[in-house]
Amino acid sequence: MPDSPPPQPPSPGSPGDDSVPDGSGLLLSGARLTDGRAVDVRLGGGRIEAVGTAGSLTAHGPRVDLSGYLLLPAPAEPHAHGDTALTADGDGPVPYDADDVQRRATEATLLQLGHGATAVRSHVRIGDMEGLGWMEAVLQARRSLVGLADLRAVAMPRLLTGLAGADGLAMLRDAVKMGASVVGGCPDLDPDPTGYVEAVLEVAAEHGCPVDLHTDGADPARLGRLAAAAGGLRSGVVVGPLGGLARLPAEAARRAADGLAAAGVTVACLPQGGCAGVDGRGVAPVRLLRAAGVRVAAGSGALRDVANPVGRGDPLEAAYLLASRYGMRAEDAYDAVSSAARAALGLPEVRVEAGFPAELLAVRGDRLAGALSLAYSRIVVHRGRVVARTSAVREYCDSAAAVALDLPRQGRAAKHGGGGPA
């Protein structure tokens, strides 16, 4: 299938404007950091060139006023399903032609980019009726999004063991040659889960690529074997969502967590809900895992498909749920969708300091807890340039309370008896 044309660049000065090169010296002025400082941040060459007190840096290019915004390292999405995203909204059978899959994967990635995720790892089914068609479609989406977002594909065969798994194993190798960045799948669905894991790890070792496996984690012995086998893979192993781990007796869950920590395995939990391919519901015991020394990243999972028809694909909502429902500090919850998620994807660390990649998210507010609660307005920076903006305006009808609190109003003329509806 020929390459689809990349998205048309917006008009100059707007989000995603290709006329603003990486080295243009974009200045983010007056932003608030989580430590309370108000700063200017100058970007160039896709990196942070300088950070100084507000008003201290000179603009060498365009300037974006971030007064009233909190500036953070951008989130990354470690667990998306672009091939099945946005399929819960239509009537009748879901189309899975290559063009349809490519369109959905592109739209889903852009939706997640608008929320702040500048990098997305998307799990893509291969084999059976799909063959490699879905993978090719997602890779086409990846190419069309270069410069806007970093989309990476995980190859997910259904079966890898026995006679029935021979085709899946060959297709897994072909998917890596096509451009799949990661190998994975759901060992729980194979008649021989341990053999499935061993096959995936073998392919990963052959090609030097990371592994990302779906598993519920309800069988501690199986999870222990997975951790033991994965411990020697230098390219990195992620497992998730591990909702079943939370249903185990406390001592069994603790031993499993210790095994994952010893093997250096990262856990990608899904606080917004599950995803197709893993029957168990619930969220991994994040506090137990972190206490054991396991790196815990948080993903969004299903984005409006049959597994979660109301999925939002919003990393800040994942962080909000970790803080509000699972007792994590706001800082740790945001780390799960930013620093830990980036590490899970093998991406370099981001800090709002000179020399680090310019992958940033500005959200309206001055404190992290407030941003996780009401982060509606967002400005997203990828590779040193603004690639997405979301602006939210809240207005209230004319009332004594609104006047007393100096709340924003729509300001209808007095002859209409006050403001319009909020």
Side-chain angles (χ1 to χ4, degrees), residues 160-199:
L160 286 180
T161 66
L163 292 176
D167 287 345
L169 190 57
M171 207 164 289
L172 182 60
R173 290 187 168 95
D174 288 342
V176 175
K177 294 173 184 176
M178 288 172 59
S181 306
V182 189
V183 293
C186 186
D188 298 2
L189 300 180
D190 194 285
D192 179 4
T194 300
Y196 188 105
V197 171
E198 292 172 349

Side-chain angles (χ1 to χ4, degrees), residues 165-412:
D167 287 345
L169 190 57
M171 207 164 289
L172 182 60
R173 290 187 168 95
D174 288 342
V176 175
K177 294 173 184 176
M178 288 172 59
S181 306
V182 189
V183 293
C186 186
D188 298 2
L189 300 180
D190 194 285
D192 179 4
T194 300
Y196 188 105
V197 171
E198 292 172 349
V200 168
L201 294 175
E202 180 181 345
V203 174
E206 287 174 6
H207 296 275
C209 57
V211 168
D212 198 325
L213 292 165
H214 287 52
T215 182
D216 187 46
D219 185 333
R222 182 188 302 170
L223 191 59
R225 290 192 294 270
L226 187 158
L233 192 69
R234 298 182 61 182
S235 53
V237 176
V238 177
V239 299
L242 292 192
L245 193 60
R247 301 190 295 272
L248 294 177
E251 182 58 27
R254 185 191 63 77
R255 287 196 302 269
D258 289 342
L260 293 169
V265 173
T266 296
V267 171
C269 67
L270 299 177
Q272 296 178 83
C275 59
V278 178
D279 293 331
R281 290 286 178 171
V283 175
V286 292
R287 297 175 69 183
L288 171 70
L289 289 164
R290 284 172 54 86
V294 178
R295 177 192 289 134
V296 178
S300 300
L303 174 57
R304 301 211 307 266
D305 66 17
V306 66
N308 187 359
V310 295
R312 294 184 182 178
D314 185 351
L316 266 64
E317 184 181 33
Y320 157 78
L321 290 170
L322 288 176
S324 66
R325 296 187 60 185
Y326 302 102
M328 291 178 66
R329 296 186 316 125
E331 293 77 10
D332 293 334
Y334 189 75
D335 180 83
V337 301
S338 56
S339 296
R342 287 184 62 84
L345 270 60
L347 297 169
E349 182 181 12
V350 173
R351 299 182 192 171
V352 188
E353 299 177 13
F356 284 86
E359 302 289 322
L360 302 167
L361 171 64
V363 295
R364 178 70 71 179
D366 57 4
R367 303 184 68 177
L368 185 57
L372 295 187
S373 175
L374 294 170
Y376 298 130
S377 295
R378 309 182 191 186
I379 298 174
V380 186
V381 175
H382 174 52
R383 290 173 52 181
R385 66 193 186 110
V386 175
V387 292
R389 294 178 189 261
T390 301
S391 298
V393 177
R394 172 176 287 151
E395 297 177 319
Y396 300 89
C397 64
D398 196 3
S399 69
V403 171
L405 295 174
D406 194 26
L407 298 175
R409 297 175 295 161
Q410 289 192 14
R412 293 281 184 87

Side-chain angles (χ1 to χ4, degrees), residues 4 14 34 72 94 142 181 295 384:
S4 294
S14 63
T34 55
L72 303 163
V94 175
R142 175 186 180 178
S181 306
R295 177 192 289 134

